[in-house]
């Protein structure tokens, strides 16, 4: 299993780290392609050593795409660049002021800002009264593991509708984790109606996650749905501790026993 890795390289707002175990149980077997149109940090992708013969990661955000391209093709250079980026408030300020000159510098710094910031938003240096500092060594080890895991993963940089046009096939499966209805500020322009139109025309199987809200339930009325709950992260300050999400599918998912190839959560 050395070419696999249970963790992504980065944290990302809306990342499915907490829910990956639950979601993975509804992913069908016997698929030819496993495709993530809204890849983000790719927590589901990295949860298994291989989901299918064809695997595709896609995101519209060029920093995310470049982090994974550089981790895949230039892991040593990324490691060298990151090695001495210590957990320091002063360095955090400098990196925010200067995002880097070369592509490798830029992506190492992008990773650094996510890794060392509060809520992985990249804005404020993250410290805690009680939790220890995140391990630098752990992240350095992950660069090599992620590089190997991505060896046969196609990394695309398209808007989801173009990606779907290229890869839609009855034998393929799409894990769709779009921006949410009531998501982060920068997600609020997302066209949910267009997503509905694209998904409702597809031949492949898809499993979609949304914040569990009336808008999502109304838009996808008639499809299979299941609610899920996760513990809130940074949004905790806005109220209670639990956040409800909904899984929606265009097939009747059969809950699989936990696949032995999946990694156990720590
Ligand atoms: C909720 S995040 C995905 C999180 C991911 N599942 C994970 O575990 O980290 C949604 C992602 O959709 C991407 N996105 C937003 N609009 C998009 C579009 N039109 N096409 C493709 N990706 C898009 C964002 O850049 C963001 O990374």
């Amino acid at each position: 299993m050395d070419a696999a890795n249970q963790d992504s390289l980065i944290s990302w707002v809306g990342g499915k780290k907490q829910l990956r175990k639950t979601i993975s149980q509804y992913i069908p077997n016997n698929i030819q392609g496993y495709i993530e149109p809204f890849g983000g940090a790719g927590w589901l992708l990295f949860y298994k050593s291989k989901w299918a013969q064809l695997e595709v990661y896609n995101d519209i955000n060029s920093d995310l795409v470049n982090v994974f391209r550089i981790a895949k093709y230039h892991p040593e250079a990324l490691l060298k660049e990151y090695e001495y980026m210590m957990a320091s408030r002063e360095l955090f300020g400098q990196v925010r002021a200067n995002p880097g000159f070369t592509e490798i510098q830029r992506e190492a710094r992008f990773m650094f800002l996510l890794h060392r910031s509060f809520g992985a938003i990249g804005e404020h240096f993250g410290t805690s009264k009680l939790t220890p500092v995140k391990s630098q060594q752990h992240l350095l080890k992950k660069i090599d593991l992620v590089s190997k895991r991505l060896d046969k993963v196609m990394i695309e940089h398209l808007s989801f509708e173009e990606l779907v046009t290229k890869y839609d096939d009855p034998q393929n499966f799409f894990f769709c984790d779009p921006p949410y209805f009531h998501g982060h500020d920068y997600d609020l322009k997302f066209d949910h109606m267009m997503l509905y139109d694209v998904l409702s025309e597809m031949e492949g199987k898809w499993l979609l996650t949304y914040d569990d809200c009336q808008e999502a339930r109304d838009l996808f009325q008639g499809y299979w749905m299941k609610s899920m709950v996760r513990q809130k992260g940074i949004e905790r300050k806005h109220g209670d501790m639990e956040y409800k999400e909904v899984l929606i599918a265009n097939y009747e998912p059969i809950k699989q026993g936990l696949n032995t190839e999946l990694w156990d959560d720590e």
Side-chain angles (χ1 to χ4, degrees), residues 114-161:
L114 295 178
H115 195 211
R116 296 294 174 203
S117 60
F118 182 62
I121 295 195
E123 286 174 3
H124 303 287
F125 186 62
T127 52
S128 161
K129 284 186 182 168
L130 299 173
T131 336
V133 68
K134 281 191 184 159
S135 164
Q136 177 87 345
Q137 289 305 317
H138 183 58
L139 186 99
L140 295 176
K141 281 189 201 132
K142 284 199 296 187
I143 293 176
D144 185 48
L145 291 170
V146 162
S147 173
K148 291 186 172 127
R149 176 64 183 86
L150 291 175
D151 182 39
K152 288 186 73 183
V153 175
M154 174 61 78
I155 302 177
E156 293 273 23
H157 182 211
L158 296 169
S159 192
F160 72 89
E161 68 283 6

Side-chain angles (χ1 to χ4, degrees), residues 204-238:
K205 291 192 169 96
W206 51 257
L207 184 64
L208 170 68
T209 52
Y210 258 122
D211 40 341
D212 195 349
C213 59
Q214 204 53 49
E215 293 95 322
R217 286 183 174 266
D218 288 348
L219 189 57
F220 288 91
Q221 199 179 15
Y223 284 100
W224 176 94
M225 288 189 193
K226 179 178 170 49
S227 45
M228 310 179 283
V229 173
R230 69 164 168 82
Q231 295 303 304
K232 279 187 177 175
I234 193 170
E235 335 86 297
R236 209 175 310 157
K237 59 178 186 255
H238 300 306

Side-chain angles (χ1 to χ4, degrees), residues 67-119:
V67 158
F68 289 122
R69 281 186 178 149
I70 286 170
K72 175 172 172 164
Y73 293 108
H74 303 289
E76 296 89 1
L78 185 59
L79 198 136
K80 214 163 154 213
E81 190 63 39
Y82 205 87
E83 203 170 10
Y84 299 108
M85 297 190 74
M86 73 269 281
S88 137
R89 193 180 295 277
E90 290 76 9
L91 182 61
F92 191 88
Q94 286 164 14
V95 168
R96 268 184 63 82
N98 175 3
F101 300 108
T102 69
E103 202 149 347
I104 289 170
Q105 273 181 350
R106 274 200 298 276
E107 298 321 326
R109 288 172 186 217
F110 172 70
M111 256 169 61
F112 173 79
L113 291 179
L114 295 178
H115 195 211
R116 296 294 174 203
S117 60
F118 182 62

